[in-house]
Amino acid sequence: MILEHPIFTEMILPFLLIFVLVFAILQKSKILGEDKQQIDAMVSLAIGLLLIAVPVASEVVVNLMPWLAVGLATMLVFFLLYGFAAGDLTNETNMSKGM
């Protein structure tokens, strides 16, 4: 199966993980400027490819991916429950008097 192939699990998944995380951090922080998606993508691509080129760094990411998946799933459940309990907090008139 393609999802169990070593190229997929040891190269493609770590690259995508690092690329997406770095791209999201650069987009949110706007370190390289506003509306610079192409530059953020190039920097993220370079960092992702460097991760693949260094075997030790790639091994660390591959070993951490199961723990990261469990942590992200736990955070998703927490934020879903928090969203159900708190509701929309962006508008002050929607908040109940107890909050």
Side-chain angles (χ1 to χ4, degrees):
M1 179 179 230
I2 190 146
L3 297 177
E4 295 174 354
H5 199 273
I7 290 177
F8 186 75
T9 59
E10 295 176 10
M11 294 186 78
I12 295 174
L13 282 180
F15 169 76
L16 285 175
L17 176 69
I18 296 301
F19 176 80
V20 169
L21 285 176
V22 171
F23 184 76
I25 290 169
L26 289 175
Q27 283 288 295
K28 191 69 176 171
S29 65
K30 298 178 185 171
I31 291 174
L32 302 175
E34 290 192 31
D35 297 326
K36 302 283 186 180
Q37 290 90 7
Q38 293 88 2
I39 295 174
D40 292 342
M42 293 293 284
V43 170
S44 301
L45 179 72
I47 292 173
L49 289 175
L50 280 172
L51 174 91
I52 297 302
V54 179
V56 175
S58 183
E59 280 183 32
V60 169
V61 172
V62 168
N63 290 336
L64 287 178
M65 280 197 318
W67 292 101
L68 182 64
V70 170
L72 288 175
T74 305
M75 287 176 52
L76 175 67
V77 170
F78 171 76
F79 286 130
L80 282 173
L81 291 174
Y82 180 75
F84 286 136
D88 185 20
L89 297 177
T90 57
N91 191 356
E92 290 182 15
T93 59
N94 280 348
M95 287 194 293
S96 65
K97 295 189 188 309
M99 296 186 102

